């Protein structure tokens, strides 16, 4: 697939997923948003499931590109990752919430859908590895205390996931702000950063 076409389809899929959610989303909705034919989508992707798995892989690629900042101060990079996870990156807050609402719908399918489960597991493993690598770099640089980096990354990501779930399911708009403040002030600056 030509990269320009792939990017256009991925962006259209992202926008329509945010707008309609997983359950209501159709290939026709994506084709309309992409300003292409439904047959073009089916030429590249057999099913909506295939397209959504490709979107998850695409989002992982974009995350890896943005997270590749090994020259950055580890503390600043870790804070930036937490902010991106909670507030989004270059997108407005309502769009970020809409995406995480749809993502929660996709995650709810994973126990019964091996394809979704495998891609979500890959995404989660890569995000965890990235956060772990930042913490390890901070330890090596003397910027962070000597902690168990994978375990600390797991705690940070669990707090982020919990805040997002409360935000999208219960409407607790302050959940992400509260967790952000706690993770930055109490965990990163208050506990992780070396004295």
């Amino acid at each position: 697939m030509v990269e320009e076409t792939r990017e256009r389809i991925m962006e259209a899929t992202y926008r329509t997923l945010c707008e309609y959610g997983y359950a209501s989303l159709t290939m026709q909705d994506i084709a309309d948003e992409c300003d292409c034919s439904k047959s073009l989508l089916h030429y590249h992707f057999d099913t909506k499931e295939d397209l959504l798995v490709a979107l998850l892989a695409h989002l992982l690629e974009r995350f890896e590109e943005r997270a590749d900042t090994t020259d950055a101060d580890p503390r600043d990079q870790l804070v930036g990752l937490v902010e991106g996870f909670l507030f989004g990156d270059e997108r407005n807050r309502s769009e970020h919430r809409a995406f995480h609402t749809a993502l929660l719908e996709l995650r709810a399918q994973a126990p019964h859908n091996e394809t979704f489960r495998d891609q979500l597991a890959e995404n989660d493993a890569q995000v965890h590895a990235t956060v772990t690598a930042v913490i390890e770099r901070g330890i090596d640089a003397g910027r962070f205390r000597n902690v168990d980096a994978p375990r600390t990354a797991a705690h940070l990501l669990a707090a982020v996931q919990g805040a997002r779930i409360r935000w999208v399911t219960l409407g607790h708009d302050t959940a992400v702000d509260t967790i952000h403040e706690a993770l930055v002030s109490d965990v990163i600056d208050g506990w992780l950063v070396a004295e």
Side-chain angles (χ1 to χ4, degrees), residues 74 129-142 144 147-150:
T130 298
V131 173
T132 298
V134 172
I135 294 169
E136 288 171 343
R137 196 165 55 79
I139 293 167
D140 292 344
F144 294 154
V147 297
D148 182 326

Side-chain angles (χ1 to χ4, degrees), residues 125-180:
Q126 185 57 47
V127 167
H128 182 266
T130 298
V131 173
T132 298
V134 172
I135 294 169
E136 288 171 343
R137 196 165 55 79
I139 293 167
D140 292 344
R143 188 79 168 102
F144 294 154
R145 292 176 47 238
N146 189 14
V147 297
D148 182 326
R151 185 175 173 169
T152 302
H155 281 110
L156 288 170
L157 292 171
V160 165
Q161 286 283 0
R164 287 194 307 215
I165 289 170
R166 289 185 71 201
W167 185 35
V168 301
T169 60
L170 303 176
H172 291 171
D173 290 338
T174 59
V176 290
D177 295 310
T178 302
I179 291 299
H180 171 260

Side-chain angles (χ1 to χ4, degrees), residues 40-98:
L40 174 70
L41 290 180
H42 281 292
Y43 176 77
H44 296 292
F45 305 97
D46 288 336
T47 64
K48 177 175 91 166
E49 174 185 284
D50 294 336
L51 182 50
L52 292 173
V53 168
L55 175 65
L56 291 171
H58 174 74
L59 293 173
L60 180 60
E61 290 169 14
R62 287 184 43 199
F63 166 75
E64 289 171 340
E65 290 168 6
R66 287 191 315 269
D68 186 23
T69 54
T70 54
D71 295 340
D73 174 70
R75 182 259 177 213
D76 294 343
Q77 187 180 11
L78 191 57
V79 169
L81 285 170
V82 167
E83 289 172 351
F85 295 146
L86 290 172
F87 303 122
D89 184 43
E90 301 173 11
R91 301 191 189 277
N92 66 45
R93 197 165 178 160
S94 63
E95 182 179 318
H96 189 66
R97 181 179 181 166

Side-chain angles (χ1 to χ4, degrees), residues 113-126:
N113 184 314
E114 186 176 350
T115 308
F116 284 156
R117 184 171 56 248
D118 290 347
Q119 186 62 54
L120 287 166
E122 183 178 336
N123 285 34
D124 283 353
Q126 185 57 47

